[in-house]
Amino acid sequence: NAGVTQTPKFRILKIGQSMTLQCTQDMNHNYMYWYRQDPGMGLKLIYYSVGAGITDKGEVPNGYNVSRSTTEDFPLRLELAAPSQTSVYFCASSSGPSGYTFGSGTRLTVV
Amino acid sequence: KNEVEQSPQNLTAQEGEFITINCSYSVGISALHWLQQHPGGGIVSLFMLSSGKKKHGRLIATINIQEKHSSLHITASHPRDSAVYICAVPPFFGNEKLTFGTGTRLTIIP
């Protein structure tokens, strides 16, 4: 089992550029999440999904978009990157009793 | 919204010491998660527990639902245990969005 796979691991963007962070899980989990973690801070929820075709905003959704066309994939789109989006991004999935599984993270720098 | 507090925020100990990290929350929950994050690394789920105690190797997690409190213990601590430990709770009903504690930064000195 690969668990939750995130790509890329590192990325440098220029202000105003766009990119998509990929997230795939192979555990057939219904719930998927995107979090960001700023230096020295806790995790903040950006978007989450309770199943294919269903997404909802978390605490800090501005500047991001998501889609969930399949159970496995939950990509996060950054439009018009800003320095405030410099962070480490974690994708996660869960399914009740099995608990949470996190991806290894994407370290994004916007310059 | 559940308020999750962890203590201590920072903890430095000598190798071999017994470690205790505490987590308190304000609203009743169905389960509590303990997570581990090594410096610059990913996040690993250590435990999910809804009652009593769970043990995995040198790590022990306990929860008291009535007192809204959980503890994470590490026996015979080792430098490789140095990490940030985070407790997190989902809402009692509904989806599984977690509310995270601020984390405890543990440093074990050889």
Side-chain angles (χ1 to χ4, degrees):
Chain A
N1 257 353
V4 177
T5 302
Q6 278 185 247
T7 56
K9 293 193 184 305
F10 303 92
R11 184 72 186 268
I12 298 174
L13 278 183
K14 293 184 178 179
I15 294 172
Q17 287 185 322
S18 300
M19 75 165 293
T20 298
L21 281 65
Q22 301 291 344
C23 177
T24 300
Q25 55 97 2
D26 61 359
M27 297 169 286
N28 203 34
H29 285 174
N30 288 326
Y31 294 91
M32 295 188 75
Y33 315 82
W34 274 106
Y35 294 94
R36 60 177 285 173
Q37 185 179 40
D38 298 331
M41 305 293 285
L43 291 155
K44 293 185 178 179
L45 182 64
I46 305 171
Y47 270 95
Y48 69 100
S49 169
V50 301
I54 306 170
T55 63
D56 206 350
K57 296 177 181 179
E59 302 172 71
V60 290
N62 291 344
Y64 307 94
N65 276 300
V66 294
S67 60
R68 183 96 181 269
S69 57
T70 65
T71 300
E72 294 79 19
D73 299 310
F74 191 42
L76 177 72
R77 178 83 178 161
L78 278 73
E79 304 283 0
L80 299 175
S84 61
Q85 293 177 303
T86 294
S87 189
V88 180
Y89 292 83
F90 289 99
C91 178
S93 71
S94 72
S95 181
S98 68
Y100 259 64
T101 301
F102 286 83
S104 57
T106 297
R107 190 173 297 273
L108 175 68
T109 303
V110 182
V111 297
Chain B
K1 183 182 175 183
N2 220 331
E3 300 294 330
V4 182
E5 293 187 357
Q6 283 185 241
S7 63
Q9 288 191 330
N10 294 283
L11 177 58
T12 300
Q14 293 287 332
E15 182 174 356
E17 286 190 38
F18 181 82
I19 303 299
T20 296
I21 299 170
N22 296 299
C23 176
S24 298
Y25 50 93
S26 58
V27 179
I29 59 172
S30 56
L32 180 142
H33 299 257
W34 280 103
L35 310 171
Q36 179 193 57
Q37 185 176 28
H38 281 101
I43 300 170
V44 175
S45 178
L46 297 175
F47 296 102
M48 183 179 75
L49 68 165
S50 55
S51 65
K53 179 169 75 174
K54 284 191 175 181
K55 184 175 189 291
H56 185 249
R58 294 180 295 104
L59 273 60
I60 303 166
T62 64
I63 189 167
N64 185 320
I65 294 292
Q66 286 73 29
E67 298 199 357
K68 299 185 178 65
H69 181 268
S70 176
S71 293
L72 177 68
H73 306 286
I74 304 175
T75 62
S77 59
H78 189 275
R80 64 175 174 264
D81 297 324
S82 297
V84 176
Y85 293 84
I86 306 164
C87 71
V89 300
F92 196 87
F93 295 107
N95 60 53
E96 298 177 53
K97 290 187 296 180
L98 295 178
T99 300
F100 295 89
T102 51
T104 295
R105 184 174 299 276
L106 174 66
T107 303
I108 303 298
I109 299 170

